[in-house]
Amino acid sequence: DAGVIQSPRHEVTEMGQEVTLRCKPISGHDYLFWYRQTMMRGLELLIYFNNNVPIDDSGMPEDRFSAKMPNASFSTLKIQPSEPRDSAVYFCASSAYRGANVLTFGAGSRLTVL
Amino acid sequence: AQSVTQLGSHVSVSEGALVLLRCNYSSSVPPYLFWYVQYPNQGLQLLLKYTSAATLVKGINGFEAEFKKSETSFHLTKPSAHMSDAAEYFCAVTTGFQKLVFGTGTRLLVSP
């Protein structure tokens, strides 16, 4: 398996633009997580899905953020409109129910909003 | 709610010296505890995990951690540091509902 695949790896955009980050989890994993990493706040869980259904989105900072998982092999995190304070590295991770909470992380998407 | 506290945002050691990274947890129920490592420009990788079996857990790359309930600690150690160990290390806790809470991380610096 190629692991968790995220795209794009780097994104530079201007304030107000829409940003879409993509994630392909490991085949057979039924949990998918979106984390955000910043120097100030560390690693924050934004939202997670189980069997494509959002379970907990309490970490989503505001309505500008939305996440979807239309099928077991694809998820998106969208920011609209983007703001400079959204600049961060966004990680997607997946795990299997029987994996004792072992998350496999993607390489991350580094977002810079100017 | 569960949480972890990592003491020291940076730890510096010489190559060949003992590595000790500290983690204390808070949980109202028996926790599952993890250590992850992050190399520059990469995602996090699992080093080791404690899931209520043996209290001394061995992980990859010669790392190990000991669960001490009386001290609510899960410190990470390695007898002899290698230059390739330089990275950021994260302690994490969950009570079994697939939702990991991470500490703020400790950056390990290894000098020759």
Side-chain angles (χ1 to χ4, degrees):
Chain A
D1 199 313
V4 176
I5 299 173
Q6 292 186 245
S7 64
R9 289 295 313 277
H10 301 275
E11 174 93 5
V12 180
T13 191
E14 294 190 345
M15 184 174 62
Q17 296 298 305
E18 178 179 292
V19 173
T20 300
L21 307 178
R22 298 172 177 81
C23 176
K24 176 178 168 55
I26 289 175
S27 177
H29 281 189
D30 43 11
Y31 284 84
L32 184 139
F33 305 80
W34 283 100
Y35 282 86
R36 178 172 68 175
Q37 185 178 37
T38 61
M39 289 290 291
M40 292 297 293
R41 302 172 70 93
L43 270 165
E44 303 172 277
L45 176 64
L46 301 177
I47 185 171
Y48 78 97
F49 296 82
N50 176 219
N51 292 324
N52 313 337
V53 176
I55 302 300
D56 184 347
D57 65 354
S58 59
M60 296 286 262
E62 48 198 277
D63 292 345
R64 297 184 298 106
F65 285 70
S66 63
K68 294 182 180 179
M69 193 165 185
N71 57 62
S73 59
F74 183 66
S75 177
T76 59
L77 178 67
K78 187 172 292 188
I79 309 172
Q80 167 63 17
S82 58
E83 296 183 3
R85 60 193 168 120
D86 301 331
S87 297
V89 181
Y90 292 82
F91 287 103
C92 177
S94 68
S95 71
Y97 177 75
R98 296 184 184 279
N101 309 104
V102 175
L103 272 61
T104 301
F105 281 77
S109 294
R110 182 176 296 276
L111 173 64
T112 302
V113 183
L114 303 174
Chain B
Q2 61 270 30
S3 66
V4 289
T5 301
Q6 292 186 241
L7 301 175
S9 59
H10 292 79
V11 170
S12 295
V13 299
S14 299
E15 193 172 21
L18 171 72
V19 175
L20 171 61
L21 305 181
R22 300 178 186 273
C23 173
N24 289 89
Y25 70 90
S26 173
S27 178
S28 57
V29 298
Y32 293 168
L33 293 159
F34 305 79
W35 277 98
Y36 280 80
V37 60
Q38 184 180 29
Y39 298 102
N41 300 314
Q42 295 185 26
L44 281 71
Q45 303 171 35
L46 180 70
L47 267 182
L48 50 81
K49 63 183 180 182
Y50 166 76
T51 55
S52 75
T55 56
L56 182 63
V57 182
K58 294 187 184 298
I60 61 172
N61 301 337
F63 284 92
E64 62 182 35
E66 186 172 9
F67 174 73
K68 291 187 176 181
K69 185 178 178 180
S70 60
E71 300 177 9
T72 62
S73 68
F74 190 58
H75 301 331
L76 182 70
T77 60
K78 182 174 180 177
S80 177
H82 192 272
M83 295 295 290
S84 60
D85 295 327
E88 189 150 21
Y89 292 80
F90 293 89
C91 183
V93 65
T94 183
T95 54
F97 292 99
Q98 296 287 343
K99 185 176 174 179
L100 280 184
V101 175
F102 286 88
T104 52
T106 298
R107 186 168 298 278
L108 177 65
L109 307 169
V110 183
S111 56

